[in-house]
């Protein structure tokens, strides 16, 4: 039995592996509910699956109530459309994880789409905060407002203009790279899985999984850093507008970080340390041996469902329609069907439209930076030429002789330098203030 387990583990960890969307040669445990009555202690995977199902029902009920309240009180489409999209994050992610529990042989493929939906939820968080911030941008009307702040009270941030074009576009680039990469990651993962080069369990550098994990971690760290700075820079605006920006942020990033660090990193470490072990099938009613990766996946799905149950109540608090209902002063609400279309059916076209606009703004920013650099260089060149021309009369009368001190008394040198109105340093170059962008 041990020899068979060793060979099965070796086959499981081989890279490249047999291609296809199924994993571990079609490992698919049975879910025979009558076994729960006859042999309850030998079907723990069914108990875990039923627990996740109960949690999933709670998640969907709470999410449906919050979404319905939005649709019935749809007064501010620019903000509520993003809230409607974010509210689907807990139920959809938990549902896909639950299906990966039910069909572990397709779990890798299923969770590709869960990760993609997670990235789009983060994107909509940023878009929602931008919609909240727009009145303050209009109030600033392009004025230059410098700011010095700290992130977590440690990292110093200094901006020449927090409402400037430069900071806004740079933040958009750092945020948009995450959903863009999530789409690319899903495509690469599925293609490499079909070809047998994904190697999700082996952590071999001959497979794509290791490289995708590294890039995912880097991309996640970039967007986290950008959003932390974004929240700190506009702290006064969140306070003035009574916008729960930090609560909205942690309602999404909290589950992402919990699932990543506990569900992915910690469980992988426990599996590597052989604390999470597979079974030989002797304690299972169907006699099926469970590999350690399948056991880890079951625990992972339970963690996901527990985290999402907590998060769905936080979503109801921070992404609910309470502010829009409170601030409504007799405005006519949008119909339910229009709200549904605006919130969900227009989602994908709007996403790609914003990507194109972000690309156009990035190009404009690059052009502006090039123009500023050229203008600064020309200013330096003009100042240097002006300094040389001012000195040319004196230099023209000079002669290369050891009697130079006698020909040019100290008084004349002081008189020549005084024509510049101030001491002449560094070739006459003075730093110029960059125009506001």
């Amino acid at each position: 039995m041990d020899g068979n387990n060793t060979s099965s583990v070796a086959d499981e960890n081989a890279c490249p592996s047999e291609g296809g969307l199924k994993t571990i040669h079609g490992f698919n445990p049975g879910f025979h509910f009558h076994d729960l009555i006859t042999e309850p202690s030998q079907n723990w995977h069914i108990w875990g699956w039923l627990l996740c199902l109960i949690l999933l029902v709670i998640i969907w009920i709470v999410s449906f109530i919050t979404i319905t309240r939005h649709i019935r009180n749809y007064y501010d489409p620019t903000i509520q459309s993003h809230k409607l999209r974010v509210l689907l994050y807990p139920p959809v992610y938990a549902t896909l994880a639950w299906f990966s529990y039910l069909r572990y042989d397709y779990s890798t493929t299923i969770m590709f789409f869960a990760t993609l939906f997670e990235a789009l939820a983060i994107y909509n968080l940023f878009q929602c905060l931008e919609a909240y911030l727009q009145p303050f941008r209009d109030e600033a009307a392009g004025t230059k407002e410098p700011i010095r702040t700290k992130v977590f009270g440690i990292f110093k941030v200094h901006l020449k203009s927090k409402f400037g074009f430069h900071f806004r576009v740079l933040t958009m680039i750092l945020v948009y790279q995450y959903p863009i990469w999530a789409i690319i990651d899903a495509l690469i993962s599925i293609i490499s899985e079909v070809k047998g080069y994904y190697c999700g369990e082996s952590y071999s550098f001959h497979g794509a999984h290791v490289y995708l994990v590294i890039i995912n971690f880097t991309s996640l760290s970039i967007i986290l850093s950008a959003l932390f700075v974004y929240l700190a820079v506009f702290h006064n605006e969140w306070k003035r507008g009574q916008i729960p920006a930090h609560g909205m942020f942690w309602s999404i990033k909290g589950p992402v970080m919990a699932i990543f660090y506990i569900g992915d990193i910690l469980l992988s470490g426990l599996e590597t340390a052989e604390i999470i072990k597979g079974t030989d099938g002797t304690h299972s009613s169907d006699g099926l041996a469970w590999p350690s990766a399948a056991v880890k996946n079951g625990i992972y799905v339970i963690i996901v469902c527990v985290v999402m149950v907590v998060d769905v109540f936080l979503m109801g608090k921070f992404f609910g329609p309470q502010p829009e209902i409170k601030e409504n002063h007799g405005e006519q609400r949008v119909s339910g069907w229009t709200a549904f279309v605006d919130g969900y059916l227009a989602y994908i076209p709007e996403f790609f439209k914003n990507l194109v606009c972000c690309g156009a703004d990035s190009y404009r920013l690059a052009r502006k930076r090039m123009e500023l650099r050229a203008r600064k260089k020309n200013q330096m060149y003009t100042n240097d030429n002006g300094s040389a021309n001012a000195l040319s009369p004196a230099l023209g009368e000079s002669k290369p002789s050891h009697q130079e001190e006698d020909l040019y008394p100290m008084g004349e040198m002081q008189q020549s330098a005084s024509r510049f109105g101030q001491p002449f340093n560094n070739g006459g170059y003075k730093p110029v203030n960059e125009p506001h962008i």
Side-chain angles (χ1 to χ4, degrees), residues 405-427:
E405 289 185 359
D406 297 332
L407 296 174
Y408 295 96
M410 184 61 67
E412 293 184 9
M413 289 295 294
Q414 292 176 352
Q415 182 180 2
S416 176
S418 65
R419 286 179 293 177
F420 296 96
Q422 58 182 2
F424 182 75
N425 297 317
N426 195 24

Side-chain angles (χ1 to χ4, degrees), residues 47-313:
W47 288 112
W49 181 79
L50 287 176
L51 172 62
C52 292
L53 179 60
I54 294 172
L55 296 176
L56 188 61
V57 170
I58 296 174
I59 293 170
W60 271 108
I61 291 175
V62 177
S63 298
F64 180 77
I65 292 173
T66 308
I67 291 172
T68 302
R69 292 182 62 202
H70 265 292
I71 292 178
R72 290 180 176 177
N73 300 276
Y74 202 72
Y75 298 108
D76 193 346
T78 58
I79 292 176
Q80 289 182 271
S81 61
H82 301 296
K83 287 186 175 183
L84 283 174
R85 298 161 189 172
V86 170
L87 286 170
L88 279 182
Y89 165 55
V92 171
Y93 195 96
T95 300
L96 291 173
W98 178 76
F99 273 115
S100 74
Y101 197 137
L102 181 64
R103 292 301 305 268
Y104 177 67
D105 49 341
Y106 286 101
S107 61
T108 303
T109 304
I110 293 172
M111 292 311 293
F112 291 155
F113 297 99
T115 304
L116 176 61
F117 202 89
E118 173 188 272
L120 295 176
I122 299 174
Y123 156 80
N124 276 286
L125 164 68
F126 174 72
Q127 291 297 113
C128 186
L129 293 177
E130 277 289 283
Y132 271 121
L133 200 62
Q134 189 57 46
F136 298 99
R137 293 190 184 277
D138 296 338
E139 180 184 34
T143 59
K144 187 174 182 178
E145 184 176 343
I147 184 173
R148 292 178 181 269
T149 186
K150 290 185 178 180
V151 180
F152 298 124
I154 302 175
F155 304 103
K156 296 181 179 179
V157 177
H158 176 217
L159 298 174
K160 294 181 179 180
S161 176
K162 66 180 183 180
F163 290 110
F165 183 70
H166 190 169
F167 178 65
R168 183 176 67 85
V169 175
L170 183 60
T171 303
M172 289 173 60
I173 293 173
L174 297 180
V175 170
Y176 282 29
Q177 57 85 26
Y178 188 62
I180 292 173
W181 167 246
I183 296 173
I184 298 174
D185 176 36
L187 294 175
I188 294 176
S189 300
I190 293 175
I191 294 173
S192 60
E193 183 77 10
V194 171
K195 297 295 184 181
Y197 284 92
Y198 183 71
C199 306
E201 302 299 334
S202 67
Y203 289 95
S204 168
F205 283 94
H206 295 288
H209 177 64
V210 174
Y211 301 100
L212 294 177
V213 168
I214 294 173
I215 298 175
N216 284 339
F217 179 79
T218 304
S219 179
L220 179 62
S221 301
I222 290 173
I223 190 174
L224 275 176
S225 303
L227 289 176
F228 280 134
V229 173
Y230 181 79
L231 291 175
V233 167
F234 296 107
H235 174 74
N236 293 335
E237 282 69 29
W238 312 136
K239 190 173 181 179
R240 283 179 55 197
Q242 298 181 348
I243 303 167
H246 291 273
M248 297 169 71
F249 172 80
W250 286 110
S251 294
I252 296 180
K253 296 309 295 181
V256 171
M257 296 175 68
I259 292 171
F260 180 77
Y261 290 110
I262 299 176
D264 290 328
I265 303 299
L266 179 60
L267 292 185
S268 296
L270 294 177
E271 183 189 10
T272 303
E274 297 185 353
I275 297 176
I276 296 178
K277 300 180 180 180
T279 64
D280 56 6
T282 57
H283 298 286
S284 178
S285 61
D286 55 6
L288 185 64
W290 279 62
S292 60
V295 177
K296 183 190 76 170
N297 181 73
I299 300 174
Y300 172 83
V301 174
I302 295 174
I303 292 174
V304 168
C305 291
V306 171
V307 169
M308 290 305 175
V309 164
V310 177
D311 185 54
V312 75
F313 289 99

